[in-house]
Amino acid sequence: MPPTVAPIRSALWLLLAVLSLSSAHAWAQAYDGARREEVDAGVHTPVLTKAPELVHFEEAVFPPEAAAAGKTASVEMLVTIDEKGQVSDAQVVTPVGDGFDEAALAAVRRFQFTPAEVDGAPAPIQIQYVYNFVLQPPKVEESAPPPPPPEATLTGQLLARGSRTRVAGATVRCGDDPEAPESLSDEDGHFSLKVTPGVCDVRVVANDYHLFTTQETLAPNETTEVIFYLMPKAPGFETVVRGAREKKEVVRRTLERQELQKVPGTFGDPIRVVQNLPGVARAPFISGQLIVRGAAPDQTLTFFDGVQVPLLYHLGGGPSVLNAEFIDRVDFYPGGFSSRYGRAVGGVVDVATHKGASDTLHGSAKIDLLDSGFFLEAPVKDGISVSGAARRSYVDVLLPFVLPDDPEGGTLLVLPRYWDYQVRMDFGPKRGSEPGAGGRHSGYLMAFGSDDLLNVVASGGGRNRDVTVDVHTLFHRVTGNWTYRLGNLTSVFTPYSGYDLAGFGFGETKLAANVWSLGGREDVGLELTPWLTAHVGADARFEHTVAEGKLPVLGGVQYPAFPGAEPKAELQDLKRVVNAFDGALYGEADLKLGKVTLTPGVRATYARIYGQTRFVTDPRLWARFQATEKTSVKGSVGLYSQPPQAYNLEKAPLGNPDLTHERAFQTSLGAEQQLTDALSVDVTGYYNRRYDLVVSPGQTVQNDDGSITRYQYGNVGLGRAYGLEVMLRHAVTRNFFGWLAYTFNRSEQRRAGGDDYRLTTWDQTHIVTAVASYRLPYGLELGARMRYVTGRPTTPLQHVFDVYGADRNRFYGTYGDANSIRFKPFQQLDMRLEKSWLFNRWTLAAYIDVQNVYNASNVEATFNDYRFRETFEVPGIPVLPVIGVKGSF
């Protein structure tokens, strides 16, 4: 029997070698002079960016006569491949005869390649190809193969101990032999491993988890199913891996959940951490205000996923109005924020919520001395998950036991009560999955709300009357989010609706405002080139307000009381219905010019408020110079505007229909330096000029008929704030995180045409905050926060003699220069100790969070006796320990 023959094609390395060497040699000889001329003229030389690859090989027919004679050959050909990867031409370079040339050409012309690419685009190309013809011995009939050895299968799932989070990308093998078979866990933590039957020394290796080892006895031809719980290297810290976010704002402080829930003095509430960042002044304990770079609290806005909310914290200095488990990150902009945001001349806080769990049911429950709450999240089906949370306080029951004695010798009760809720449903593909041909759709629906009631009752003692203050704040929001991604295009549409209730009562004075809102925003981003990205958007909000009140008549007749009776004033009932619309268009362009990034932007706003039309335009510019990989310089300049409150546009004497937007010209300049892998420093200086501020009282105008109109409000306020912010930050590592923040701030104001600038109520010149948390052995974690703050300015009472107003039947005070003295400096040390126990399926944590550890005597506010003869200080909280437990799974 003649021997069996078969052609053998040249190896791929030969093809590529011939391509790279022969083609390059040919081009070098043929176009050497032309390339020199092109280089001299600045013309781009084509570059082969992708070589062709053979995807279909055609076996040539071995010439019969040559096979019979035992001849072999190697046929060298020049093959032309078109831009589609097909062979358009083939020629023999050196003929070898005996039918080998014809057989090789016939086979090669039926080859199929992947298209070659020149400068990233498909292009025709020529290559040299050698087709080898060799003889093979005739095939020998082989006996039946022996049966395969028996196998055993180990299959199962990898879960994180304490949270049951699926562990993806872990390596599972038997023993430590490098040649042993292994399996890689998928996104759901599942793995399957086929090994030799017997005892398997299981080894599981995963990032951020300790090495897991155990033994399993595996029977032949059987499958053993297991669940392995891996111990996290840093239990209690969630590891989130994200790409670096482009940062154009001069200052954007971003904190992730690893840091947020471990800061002492915040009771484990992530959003309260904002109060410890540079640029944020300390507000009185029971106010819950946010004072940023010397601006008034109502000049800084708060958002949840881009949806404006009326307050960030519960009344009485309680926790934030959003459950900690819903928070993904907190972005804080003390100034110079993006054109995406408006309606504020101070700062912006935007809290981003996270998508519900897609692997299994997770949840937590927390109980401490302030409140109790729970959180649950679970997948419903592929691509859909739900989550929910609720919380209720009982601090109104416990607070009277720790309040200081009333300085008047009577009874002082401060009774805050709050609750909140959140419900969310997410839809869309899992994170990391590839988008389809029509793009990638995802989004969520969410409802959330909060209710706060604060009662302050002071009675008895040396008071001539009982004092009752009631503050009630309620809001609900229903919002959605639809995100669409296709290539370099991203579109995010966020509609929302809401209801707000704000009520205030002081004695017989009652005020209440019901606000129904409807709005939406659209944000579109498109990467046009590697150096140019455009952002455009629209932001609209409509409010329908019904305000009601019972208050003393302005300038009206007062009723004198009988001796010993409480003074009574003539009261009037007011009701107003106000509509307000605010719509804005914005645009920005990120220009990356080497080491320099420039972002010009503009926001144009149209407002229709209480029948009045207003229009403002705010141009802005950000610049960043990345000097080195670890050093950057940044700066910004821009205009910012805030519309007047709708009810302030009431006709005189209650308001002023001519009010316009408050304006601010904000500038900043700073630098960032990465000192080590974990340590960085950020220094920023700023100067903000605020003008057209709404202040009270307003102007007094003489009308054409000779009458006088006194406006309650007017755009006659001028303000300025300047300072320096320094933040030395140690990023989250295995056992430690923390930062040291220092703020120098001066906040001043005056009336247009009036005297020189004077300090505002919000000025706190020096603010120093140190935060640190360290993980100890045995599941313990210890943290501390130390704060020092310059006292707030206040106006001194200068009593010389009693001033009694018979028309209003009350006493009046005599004061010195406005804000000419300060409260004494504030200082306080807070500490937190937490102990965690990790079980296979859940985690238990117990903690004690102690505020004012060494019982520093601080002053939160002052008040006067009814004749304005003496000023009394309201002390801050004494040592306040809060003990709680939290279970999560």
mmCIF file of all heavy atoms in Angstrom, residues 364-391:
data_model
loop_
_atom_site.group_PDB
_atom_site.id
_atom_site.type_symbol
_atom_site.label_atom_id
_atom_site.label_comp_id
_atom_site.label_asym_id
_atom_site.label_seq_id
_atom_site.Cartn_x
_atom_site.Cartn_y
_atom_site.Cartn_z
ATOM 1 N N SER A 364 -30.482 44.316 57.165
ATOM 2 C CA SER A 364 -29.887 44.689 58.439
ATOM 3 C C SER A 364 -30.972 45.269 59.333
ATOM 4 O O SER A 364 -32.015 45.743 58.861
ATOM 5 C CB SER A 364 -28.754 45.715 58.248
ATOM 6 O OG SER A 364 -29.268 46.933 57.748
ATOM 7 N N ALA A 365 -30.711 45.229 60.622
ATOM 8 C CA ALA A 365 -31.592 45.839 61.615
ATOM 9 C C ALA A 365 -30.722 46.486 62.676
ATOM 10 O O ALA A 365 -29.709 45.911 63.088
ATOM 11 C CB ALA A 365 -32.519 44.801 62.238
ATOM 12 N N LYS A 366 -31.110 47.695 63.107
ATOM 13 C CA LYS A 366 -30.316 48.458 64.066
ATOM 14 C C LYS A 366 -31.218 48.970 65.181
ATOM 15 O O LYS A 366 -32.331 49.467 64.927
ATOM 16 C CB LYS A 366 -29.624 49.636 63.378
ATOM 17 C CG LYS A 366 -28.768 50.505 64.298
ATOM 18 C CD LYS A 366 -28.174 51.670 63.541
ATOM 19 C CE LYS A 366 -29.193 52.765 63.320
ATOM 20 N NZ LYS A 366 -29.409 53.618 64.505
ATOM 21 N N ILE A 367 -30.712 48.853 66.408
ATOM 22 C CA ILE A 367 -31.422 49.374 67.572
ATOM 23 C C ILE A 367 -30.410 50.100 68.451
ATOM 24 O O ILE A 367 -29.371 49.534 68.809
ATOM 25 C CB ILE A 367 -32.092 48.241 68.382
ATOM 26 C CG1 ILE A 367 -33.095 47.473 67.529
ATOM 27 C CG2 ILE A 367 -32.773 48.801 69.615
ATOM 28 C CD1 ILE A 367 -33.691 46.273 68.234
ATOM 29 N N ASP A 368 -30.683 51.375 68.778
ATOM 30 C CA ASP A 368 -29.855 52.080 69.738
ATOM 31 C C ASP A 368 -30.739 53.014 70.557
ATOM 32 O O ASP A 368 -31.973 52.932 70.496
ATOM 33 C CB ASP A 368 -28.702 52.831 69.062
ATOM 34 C CG ASP A 368 -29.174 53.877 68.070
ATOM 35 O OD1 ASP A 368 -30.281 54.415 68.246
ATOM 36 O OD2 ASP A 368 -28.436 54.180 67.109
ATOM 37 N N LEU A 369 -30.114 53.900 71.326
ATOM 38 C CA LEU A 369 -30.869 54.747 72.237
ATOM 39 C C LEU A 369 -31.585 55.889 71.539
ATOM 40 O O LEU A 369 -32.395 56.584 72.169
ATOM 41 C CB LEU A 369 -29.938 55.312 73.314
ATOM 42 C CG LEU A 369 -29.285 54.265 74.235
ATOM 43 C CD1 LEU A 369 -28.374 54.947 75.242
ATOM 44 C CD2 LEU A 369 -30.345 53.432 74.935
ATOM 45 N N LEU A 370 -31.286 56.116 70.243
ATOM 46 C CA LEU A 370 -31.931 57.204 69.510
ATOM 47 C C LEU A 370 -33.104 56.727 68.666
ATOM 48 O O LEU A 370 -34.164 57.343 68.650
ATOM 49 C CB LEU A 370 -30.911 57.914 68.614
ATOM 50 C CG LEU A 370 -29.757 58.627 69.303
ATOM 51 C CD1 LEU A 370 -28.845 59.257 68.259
ATOM 52 C CD2 LEU A 370 -30.270 59.670 70.268
ATOM 53 N N ASP A 371 -32.904 55.616 67.951
ATOM 54 C CA ASP A 371 -33.950 55.151 67.049
ATOM 55 C C ASP A 371 -33.722 53.688 66.714
ATOM 56 O O ASP A 371 -32.714 53.078 67.111
ATOM 57 C CB ASP A 371 -33.983 55.986 65.763
ATOM 58 C CG ASP A 371 -32.632 56.018 65.050
ATOM 59 O OD1 ASP A 371 -31.961 54.975 64.972
ATOM 60 O OD2 ASP A 371 -32.239 57.103 64.578
ATOM 61 N N SER A 372 -34.645 53.120 65.963
ATOM 62 C CA SER A 372 -34.547 51.750 65.461
ATOM 63 C C SER A 372 -34.947 51.751 63.994
ATOM 64 O O SER A 372 -35.817 52.533 63.576
ATOM 65 C CB SER A 372 -35.455 50.795 66.243
ATOM 66 O OG SER A 372 -35.053 50.707 67.589
ATOM 67 N N GLY A 373 -34.325 50.874 63.224
ATOM 68 C CA GLY A 373 -34.647 50.816 61.808
ATOM 69 C C GLY A 373 -34.222 49.501 61.205
ATOM 70 O O GLY A 373 -33.508 48.696 61.810
ATOM 71 N N PHE A 374 -34.678 49.269 59.962
ATOM 72 C CA PHE A 374 -34.318 48.048 59.248
ATOM 73 C C PHE A 374 -34.121 48.377 57.772
ATOM 74 O O PHE A 374 -34.566 49.425 57.272
ATOM 75 C CB PHE A 374 -35.409 46.981 59.396
ATOM 76 C CG PHE A 374 -36.670 47.276 58.629
ATOM 77 C CD1 PHE A 374 -36.836 46.847 57.317
ATOM 78 C CD2 PHE A 374 -37.704 47.987 59.220
ATOM 79 C CE1 PHE A 374 -37.990 47.131 56.607
ATOM 80 C CE2 PHE A 374 -38.866 48.277 58.533
ATOM 81 C CZ PHE A 374 -39.016 47.844 57.213
ATOM 82 N N PHE A 375 -33.451 47.451 57.077
ATOM 83 C CA PHE A 375 -33.185 47.580 55.647
ATOM 84 C C PHE A 375 -33.213 46.193 55.030
ATOM 85 O O PHE A 375 -32.662 45.243 55.601
ATOM 86 C CB PHE A 375 -31.817 48.237 55.413
ATOM 87 C CG PHE A 375 -31.345 48.176 53.988
ATOM 88 C CD1 PHE A 375 -31.810 49.077 53.049
ATOM 89 C CD2 PHE A 375 -30.431 47.208 53.582
ATOM 90 C CE1 PHE A 375 -31.379 49.022 51.729
ATOM 91 C CE2 PHE A 375 -29.990 47.150 52.272
ATOM 92 C CZ PHE A 375 -30.466 48.061 51.340
ATOM 93 N N LEU A 376 -33.861 46.059 53.872
ATOM 94 C CA LEU A 376 -33.932 44.788 53.154
ATOM 95 C C LEU A 376 -33.708 45.045 51.669
ATOM 96 O O LEU A 376 -34.169 46.055 51.123
ATOM 97 C CB LEU A 376 -35.289 44.109 53.353
ATOM 98 C CG LEU A 376 -35.610 43.555 54.743
ATOM 99 C CD1 LEU A 376 -37.058 43.092 54.801
ATOM 100 C CD2 LEU A 376 -34.662 42.413 55.096
ATOM 101 N N GLU A 377 -33.016 44.117 51.000
ATOM 102 C CA GLU A 377 -32.837 44.173 49.550
ATOM 103 C C GLU A 377 -32.751 42.756 49.012
ATOM 104 O O GLU A 377 -32.213 41.861 49.666
ATOM 105 C CB GLU A 377 -31.570 44.954 49.179
ATOM 106 C CG GLU A 377 -30.279 44.406 49.771
ATOM 107 C CD GLU A 377 -29.055 45.202 49.356
ATOM 108 O OE1 GLU A 377 -29.174 46.018 48.417
ATOM 109 O OE2 GLU A 377 -27.978 45.003 49.954
ATOM 110 N N ALA A 378 -33.323 42.545 47.809
ATOM 111 C CA ALA A 378 -33.359 41.192 47.252
ATOM 112 C C ALA A 378 -33.651 41.263 45.760
ATOM 113 O O ALA A 378 -34.356 42.172 45.298
ATOM 114 C CB ALA A 378 -34.421 40.347 47.957
ATOM 115 N N PRO A 379 -33.121 40.308 44.991
ATOM 116 C CA PRO A 379 -33.506 40.213 43.576
ATOM 117 C C PRO A 379 -34.884 39.574 43.452
ATOM 118 O O PRO A 379 -35.238 38.668 44.197
ATOM 119 C CB PRO A 379 -32.412 39.324 42.985
ATOM 120 C CG PRO A 379 -31.947 38.470 44.126
ATOM 121 C CD PRO A 379 -32.088 39.319 45.359
ATOM 122 N N VAL A 380 -35.686 40.059 42.512
ATOM 123 C CA VAL A 380 -36.997 39.476 42.231
ATOM 124 C C VAL A 380 -36.897 38.487 41.079
ATOM 125 O O VAL A 380 -37.426 37.385 41.135
ATOM 126 C CB VAL A 380 -38.017 40.585 41.912
ATOM 127 C CG1 VAL A 380 -39.368 39.994 41.549
ATOM 128 C CG2 VAL A 380 -38.149 41.530 43.094
ATOM 129 N N LYS A 381 -36.202 38.867 40.043
ATOM 130 C CA LYS A 381 -35.902 38.025 38.893
ATOM 131 C C LYS A 381 -34.690 38.627 38.214
ATOM 132 O O LYS A 381 -34.164 39.652 38.651
ATOM 133 C CB LYS A 381 -37.097 37.955 37.939
ATOM 134 C CG LYS A 381 -37.588 39.321 37.476
ATOM 135 C CD LYS A 381 -38.825 39.222 36.591
ATOM 136 C CE LYS A 381 -38.528 38.457 35.319
ATOM 137 N NZ LYS A 381 -39.682 38.490 34.396
ATOM 138 N N ASP A 382 -34.218 37.979 37.162
ATOM 139 C CA ASP A 382 -33.046 38.494 36.469
ATOM 140 C C ASP A 382 -33.294 39.922 36.007
ATOM 141 O O ASP A 382 -34.257 40.206 35.283
ATOM 142 C CB ASP A 382 -32.708 37.617 35.261
ATOM 143 C CG ASP A 382 -32.110 36.292 35.677
ATOM 144 O OD1 ASP A 382 -31.696 36.186 36.849
ATOM 145 O OD2 ASP A 382 -32.084 35.357 34.852
ATOM 146 N N GLY A 383 -32.431 40.827 36.433
ATOM 147 C CA GLY A 383 -32.526 42.214 36.010
ATOM 148 C C GLY A 383 -33.439 43.073 36.847
ATOM 149 O O GLY A 383 -33.555 44.272 36.573
ATOM 150 N N ILE A 384 -34.104 42.521 37.853
ATOM 151 C CA ILE A 384 -35.011 43.308 38.698
ATOM 152 C C ILE A 384 -34.717 43.004 40.159
ATOM 153 O O ILE A 384 -34.644 41.842 40.558
ATOM 154 C CB ILE A 384 -36.489 43.005 38.387
ATOM 155 C CG1 ILE A 384 -36.825 43.365 36.933
ATOM 156 C CG2 ILE A 384 -37.400 43.777 39.336
ATOM 157 C CD1 ILE A 384 -38.251 43.068 36.554
ATOM 158 N N SER A 385 -34.559 44.058 40.956
ATOM 159 C CA SER A 385 -34.337 43.900 42.391
ATOM 160 C C SER A 385 -35.131 44.972 43.127
ATOM 161 O O SER A 385 -35.463 46.021 42.563
ATOM 162 C CB SER A 385 -32.852 44.007 42.744
ATOM 163 O OG SER A 385 -32.354 45.288 42.396
ATOM 164 N N VAL A 386 -35.435 44.702 44.391
ATOM 165 C CA VAL A 386 -36.183 45.646 45.213
ATOM 166 C C VAL A 386 -35.442 45.838 46.528
ATOM 167 O O VAL A 386 -34.692 44.960 46.974
ATOM 168 C CB VAL A 386 -37.622 45.156 45.493
ATOM 169 C CG1 VAL A 386 -38.420 45.095 44.199
ATOM 170 C CG2 VAL A 386 -37.608 43.801 46.179
ATOM 171 N N SER A 387 -35.658 46.992 47.161
ATOM 172 C CA SER A 387 -35.058 47.280 48.462
ATOM 173 C C SER A 387 -35.956 48.259 49.201
ATOM 174 O O SER A 387 -36.725 49.009 48.587
ATOM 175 C CB SER A 387 -33.644 47.859 48.298
ATOM 176 O OG SER A 387 -33.634 48.949 47.389
ATOM 177 N N GLY A 388 -35.864 48.230 50.521
ATOM 178 C CA GLY A 388 -36.689 49.103 51.330
ATOM 179 C C GLY A 388 -36.104 49.276 52.711
ATOM 180 O O GLY A 388 -35.334 48.444 53.201
ATOM 181 N N ALA A 389 -36.469 50.390 53.364
ATOM 182 C CA ALA A 389 -35.962 50.688 54.705
ATOM 183 C C ALA A 389 -36.961 51.579 55.416
ATOM 184 O O ALA A 389 -37.753 52.302 54.792
ATOM 185 C CB ALA A 389 -34.597 51.368 54.636
ATOM 186 N N ALA A 390 -36.928 51.539 56.732
ATOM 187 C CA ALA A 390 -37.771 52.407 57.566
ATOM 188 C C ALA A 390 -37.073 52.614 58.901
ATOM 189 O O ALA A 390 -36.272 51.780 59.343
ATOM 190 C CB ALA A 390 -39.157 51.804 57.764
ATOM 191 N N ARG A 391 -37.400 53.739 59.568
ATOM 192 C CA ARG A 391 -36.767 54.082 60.834
ATOM 193 C C ARG A 391 -37.724 54.951 61.652
ATOM 194 O O ARG A 391 -38.486 55.750 61.112
ATOM 195 C CB ARG A 391 -35.461 54.839 60.574
ATOM 196 C CG ARG A 391 -34.779 55.378 61.813
ATOM 197 C CD ARG A 391 -33.395 55.911 61.483
ATOM 198 N NE ARG A 391 -33.379 56.766 60.305
ATOM 199 C CZ ARG A 391 -32.271 57.206 59.723
ATOM 200 N NH1 ARG A 391 -31.088 56.835 60.182
ATOM 201 N NH2 ARG A 391 -32.332 57.990 58.661
#
